[in-house]
Amino acid sequence: MLEDLATGFVELRRDEVLATVTTRVERADDALEILEDARRAMTAVGDQFQEGTLFLAQMMLAAELFKETMAILGPSLERARPPDPLGSVVLATPKGDIHDLGKNILVTLLEAQGFAVHDLGVDVDPARVIEKVREVEPDFVGFSALITTAFASMKRTAEIFEEEGLRDRFKLMVGGGVTTPTLRTHIGADFQSTDATQGVAYCLKRMDEKGCAP
Ligand code: B12
């Protein structure tokens, strides 16, 4: 059993990582804690990629390992979920961006708190976001962005929200490694963070202000 998941991720010790996660699930460790350890491990992978000590192919394998970890945690996270939805959220990785690990963490954490999440996936066209927002009338819309080239698509989606009179019907959030307060202002979002737990806290606070308690 690995003491530290980060070592397993960085050294791509897949079998040991999966065995460790399975053991921790079987002994009923808190699934959200295991998820947080895996997130930190993925951040360590990202840091090493940026420093040039890991190659792109290794990073891709680590991303697959992260998804396998999430799959093992799935049933435990499902059991932790409250039965009635607290509010609803439409989430997407914008057009031009295929990163989804951070978005998937946010989905998991929001669901664990009782939100109904409509996850549109990656590389999502503005028209698809608008269509979903019209369909489900969510309390929140969130973009998860990891590359700067996707900023234009988020800006365009926000403009369409304004043009079609939808913008004041929900709170708009942006998050993901490359997002900043400047981006939030640029696209006119209500909230920005590079921390999924802060995003969840924001949604809970807004629902509380609307008189909807978890
Ligand atoms: C893993 C990874 C990949 C994987 C993605 C696998 C996947 N399924 O997602 C693969 C290998 C496929 C990949 C591909 C590419 N990548 Co890449 N990738 C990364 C890496 C190392 C880590 C990203 C990650 O998953 N981090 C871990 C997660 C958990 O963090 P996170 O996404 O930030 O999410 C957290 C928070 O931000 C928050 N959050 C996320 N979304 C949201 C949304 C809301 C609303 C809120 C509130 C919070 C929130 O919640 C999470 C937990 O707290 C980063 C480097 C880095 N250090 O960030 C580069 C990086 C993002 N990639 C980059 C690039 C350029 C690419 C490629 C073009 C190829 C290349 N040459 O490297 C392609 C992208 C093609 C495309 N069109 O999208 C660049 C982007 C540069 C830029 N400034 O635009 C980075 C920064 C690397 C670099 N320094 O060059 N990549």
Side-chain angles (χ1 to χ4, degrees), residues 39 50 59-60 96 98-100 102 144 146-148 176-177 194 196:
R39 187 198 63 78
Q50 269 168 320
M59 188 169 70
M60 288 171 81
I98 55 137
H99 296 85
D100 66 357
S144 176
L146 267 294
I147 56 174
T148 44
T194 53

Side-chain angles (χ1 to χ4, degrees), residues 36 39 42-43 45-47 49-50 56 59-60 63-64 66-67 91 96-106 109 122 141-149 173-179 191-200:
E36 174 58 16
R39 187 198 63 78
M42 202 57 217
T43 303
V45 169
D47 291 347
F49 175 70
Q50 269 168 320
L56 183 62
M59 188 169 70
M60 288 171 81
E64 280 309 309
F66 186 87
K67 288 190 171 181
L91 280 182
D97 191 344
I98 55 137
H99 296 85
D100 66 357
L101 303 184
K103 172 180 65 57
N104 295 346
I105 291 177
L106 182 62
L109 295 181
V122 299
V141 175
F143 286 117
S144 176
L146 267 294
I147 56 174
T148 44
T149 45
M173 311 186 288
V174 282
V178 296
T179 64
F191 176 81
Q192 178 275 330
S193 177
T194 53
D195 180 345
T197 59
Q198 294 297 319
V200 175

